[in-house]
Each structure stands twice: as structure tokens, then as C-alpha cells.
Amino acid sequence: MTTLYLVRHGETVDNARQVMQGQTQGCLNDEGIRQARELSSRLASEHFDAIVASDLLRAVQTARIIAEPHALPVVTTPLLRERDWGDFTGRFIPDLQGEPWPDNVESLEAMLERARSFLDDVRMNYPDQRVLAVGHGIINKAIQSVFYGRPMNKIEKMKNAEVRILGI
């Protein structure tokens, strides 16, 4: 069985500003760097065979900080990217209440398929290994939704730099 440590990236400038980031690169703020360092310290004694991250900067920054005590490279994948929010990207989140969703928002089905593909990829490429994966709030919910066979709205939101462990 592969053990997956699923992590949400540290807080970003746009998280703090309540801006919908979607698939923009984003950048950790000072709090996000602190969160990632704290998580790195907590996980320093854990053994990992691989560290994987979304190819978006905020996840890569978090993964690199966590990887430091393990001397492991960070492997990136677009499968872990955040949901593409289309025309909602870059908007102030409180302003989106009640607005109709643009047609160019990534569909729930497409995101869940990406989550399935990620889990399959980890099982295939890291059998019986311990993998730490840094993703984003919504894609991490989708991964857990697929793993547990539960609707996404039944999966609790992950905080920044939170880790959940899945035996896949």
C-alpha cells in the first residue's frame, strides 16, 4: 500500500486578500513560509520516498521547504493544479456570492477525473512507498472525494499547510 501525505500549500498573498487564484502561480506570503517551515519541522523525522507538487509556484514553494530535511527533489505535475476558475480567476471572492458561474470554469467531472488520474499515477509510479504531495484546497478535496467515494461537499476544507494521510 502506498501512503500519501496530502498537503495544501501555505498561505499566499492572494489567500490573505481573498482573491480567487485558480491556476495562477501565486506566491507564499510570510505566513505561508512560516506554515511550510513549521510543517517541514513536524515531518522532518518522517521517511518519504518522493515529494510531488502541483506545478504552480505556491505549491512548489511549499514542497521545497518541506523537502529540505529529506534532501529529495520536488517532482511537479499539472494533475495537482487547483481548479481552473475561468473568468472568476483574480476576482475578490466575497463579490462572487450569487453570481452565475462562467462557462469556462473547470467542470466538477473534469476535476474529479484529474483527481482519479493523480491517484492512479501515484499508485503506479510509487507502489508501496511514502509520498508527500502538495496541492491546493479544491483539488485536494477532489482527491479525497475520489478516495473516500464521498461527494466533495462532504469533505472538510483543508487549512493552509494542513496534511492528511491516505493509504492508497
Side-chain angles (χ1 to χ4, degrees):
M1 177 175 65
T2 298
T3 303
L4 178 64
Y5 285 67
L6 188 62
V7 175
R8 182 178 176 205
H9 63 78
E11 184 180 81
T12 67
V13 172
D14 281 344
N15 287 147
R17 292 175 42 220
Q18 297 185 64
V19 171
M20 186 71 79
Q21 292 174 98
Q23 294 190 0
T24 61
Q25 293 297 324
C27 185
L28 296 183
N29 63 15
D30 290 342
E31 175 64 9
I33 292 168
R34 185 198 65 74
Q35 291 168 336
R37 286 186 179 144
E38 182 180 295
L39 183 56
S40 177
S41 294
R42 285 196 351 246
L43 297 175
S45 62
E46 295 287 336
H47 168 77
F48 296 109
D49 297 294
I51 298 181
V52 180
S54 156
D55 60 352
L56 299 177
L57 179 62
R58 58 195 188 265
V60 173
Q61 288 177 309
T62 303
R64 285 183 178 151
I65 292 168
I66 295 169
E68 286 171 4
H70 304 282
L72 288 171
V74 174
V75 177
T76 61
T77 176
L79 293 174
L80 277 174
R81 281 184 182 181
E82 183 56 294
R83 187 176 199 173
D84 183 347
W85 287 105
D87 290 342
F88 277 170
T89 302
R91 301 267 315 272
F92 185 57
I93 294 169
D95 288 348
L96 302 177
Q97 296 284 342
E99 278 201 35
W101 281 39
D103 291 337
N104 61 355
V105 171
E106 182 179 13
S107 72
L108 184 60
E109 296 77 20
M111 193 176 49
L112 289 169
E113 184 53 41
R114 209 159 33 91
R116 271 187 216 90
S117 294
F118 172 73
L119 288 169
D120 290 345
D121 186 66
V122 170
R123 285 184 192 105
M124 184 178 66
N125 291 308
Y126 306 102
D128 300 317
Q129 295 183 42
R130 294 167 63 92
V131 178
L132 184 134
V134 181
H136 308 267
I138 305 298
I139 190 62
N140 284 4
K141 278 184 89 163
I143 290 166
Q144 293 171 84
S145 173
V146 169
F147 176 76
Y148 291 113
R150 295 171 54 200
M152 281 184 55
N153 64 0
K154 300 295 183 191
I155 305 295
E156 189 175 332
K157 180 181 176 181
M158 292 180 76
K159 297 179 181 86
N160 289 108
E162 181 180 344
V163 61
R164 297 196 183 153
I165 302 171
L166 309 176
I168 60 172

